[in-house]
Amino acid sequence: MSLFGHNSKKYNPKKPSHLAHAVVTGAGSGIGRSFALELAKRGGTVVCADINLSAAEETVALLNEIGAKGYAIQCDVGDAEQVKSLSEQAEILMQHPTTLVINNAGVGLGGKFDELTLDDWKWCMHVNLWGVIHGCHYFVPKFKQLGYGAIINVASAASYTAAPEMTAYNVTKAGVLSLSETLSAELRKFKIKVNVLCPTLVPTNIIKNGRLPGRYSNLANHALMNYAFTTSDSVAIETLDRLDKGDLYTIPQIDAKLFWLMKRTSPNLYAKFLGTSYKFFK
Ligand SMILES: NC(=O)c1ccc[n+]([C@@H]2O[C@H](COP(=O)([O-])OP(=O)(O)OC[C@H]3O[C@@H](n4cnc5c(N)ncnc54)[C@H](O)[C@@H]3O)[C@@H](O)[C@H]2O)c1
């Protein structure tokens, strides 16, 4: 591992591997695309699911360029029937049971609590929380049947930082964190590994694709693209390595680790720090 990135490792095709036959949601862009490419570099076959079919197809074309097998499927992860069908189609396309699901699809939503409409809340919950619940719901029984498997849920540092003006997003990610922690304990005896990814800023299209009030969307996008301490490729590599080692958490950046530590060791002090800094910056 270097200071700013991780190097990919190939899995041994002679041994059964949870990386070998993967489904990645939101694979048409950003972190999902990086996961798909990294799995392909390690020798895996990947089903790339996205609500945007042409974006998923572009990812598959990138996999094919490096000689890997990939399949694109259109899927809205917030729709249970579509995720059920994804779980069935993936097995048929790969001619092998799925061994890893990466519940990555997500959307960004910002704004003060009283600025958000209920439609905003439902949209964010539909993709970020229900999408992950659906992915776990349909793949866990398949992994139990297979006798092994793995789940990576993409949460965010927002799952524990409670940053202001991100209520709905924070709530969905806190749900993903809790779901992953509980599943990890419940599924260990079935040889099903769970990892939850909690990054801070990663340069992707999340702000461009999200719903943010105009007053700070340009600023947020500028910060995301210019001041992130990592890349989506590096985050994907570290997460797959941690999953391999059997770690539950991937907290990739230094700021994400610092917030984690502050929140866990001094929760009341952390709450005061957050409120005071918010007051100061307003
Ligand atoms: N970029 C960051 O700073 C950051 C930080 C922490 C966590 N995350 C999380 O990482 C994950 C990936 O986001 P990203 O940053 O790569 O963003 P992105 O916008 O680049 O990619 C998200 C992908 O998800 C797809 N998608 C959106 N709604 C969908 C739906 N209903 N069904 C299926 N696919 C859908 C989009 O089409 C897109 O291809 C998200 O869960 C996000 O919350 C991102």
Side-chain angles (χ1 to χ4, degrees):
M1 189 195 112
S2 74
L3 188 59
F4 295 107
H6 294 254
N7 300 318
S8 56
K9 313 180 204 148
K10 249 188 181 316
Y11 80 90
N12 179 353
K14 290 192 183 125
K15 280 197 201 160
S17 164
H18 46 269
L19 302 187
H21 295 90
V23 171
V24 181
T25 70
S29 173
I31 298 172
R33 177 170 285 178
S34 290
F35 269 124
L37 277 163
E38 183 53 29
L39 285 161
K41 284 182 194 159
R42 293 182 189 209
T45 301
V46 190
V47 171
C48 298
D50 205 290
I51 196 164
N52 179 344
L53 180 61
S54 58
E57 284 169 345
E58 276 172 27
T59 303
V60 170
L62 294 172
L63 302 190
N64 294 340
E65 271 175 29
I66 57 168
K69 268 196 239 158
Y71 305 94
I73 293 190
Q74 182 168 33
C75 174
D76 174 353
V77 294
D79 181 319
E81 280 308 309
Q82 292 188 36
V83 181
K84 181 171 188 270
S85 159
L86 170 67
S87 71
E88 293 161 358
Q89 287 298 308
E91 194 164 330
I92 296 167
L93 289 168
M94 295 193 283
Q95 298 176 333
H96 191 285
T98 303
T99 54
L100 166 67
V101 62
I102 304 187
N103 293 307
N104 161 79
V107 289
L109 174 62
K112 293 189 180 114
F113 177 74
D114 45 3
E115 281 176 330
L116 299 181
T117 65
L118 289 178
D119 178 62
D120 289 332
W121 271 91
K122 283 177 189 156
W123 173 68
C124 194
M125 303 277 276
H126 174 87
V127 187
N128 293 7
L129 186 55
W130 277 107
V132 178
I133 295 171
H134 292 150
C136 295
H137 180 79
Y138 288 111
F139 283 96
V140 165
K142 291 185 180 291
F143 295 156
K144 281 190 177 172
Q145 211 173 9
L146 183 66
Y148 70 97
I151 301 166
I152 292 173
N153 288 333
V154 179
S156 163
S159 60
Y160 55 86
T161 51
E165 302 201 17
M166 290 174 57
T167 16
Y169 186 80
N170 293 347
V171 166
T172 61
K173 294 302 184 177
V176 172
L177 178 63
S178 179
L179 171 66
S180 310
E181 290 172 327
T182 314
L183 279 182
S184 165
E186 210 174 297
L187 298 178
R188 201 163 283 259
K189 71 171 177 182
F190 297 102
K191 297 199 176 80
I192 302 172
K193 295 182 181 187
V194 179
N195 188 277
V196 58
L197 168 60
C198 302
T200 46
L201 298 182
V202 185
T204 67
N205 293 316
I206 191 157
I207 304 245
K208 214 176 78 195
N209 292 337
R211 293 186 190 174
L212 273 93
R215 67 179 181 278
Y216 58 60
S217 67
N218 286 341
L219 188 69
N221 199 39
H222 182 76
L224 189 80
M225 300 318 271
N226 296 291
Y227 300 108
F229 298 128
T230 192
T231 62
S232 55
D233 289 349
S234 178
V235 161
I237 292 170
E238 179 173 349
T239 310
L240 293 173
D241 288 348
R242 287 197 178 277
L243 178 81
D244 250 349
K245 283 203 301 188
D247 286 355
L248 167 58
Y249 302 101
T250 304
I251 301 181
Q253 303 110 315
I254 187 83
D255 52 348
K257 289 183 174 69
L258 192 67
F259 285 126
W260 175 265
L261 200 70
M262 284 163 71
K263 178 83 182 279
R264 298 274 153 160
T265 54
S266 309
N268 281 319
L269 194 64
Y270 177 77
K272 283 178 195 153
F273 155 79
L274 211 57
T276 311
S277 357
Y278 181 60
K279 211 162 68 183
F280 178 75
F281 282 115
K282 283 282 107 185

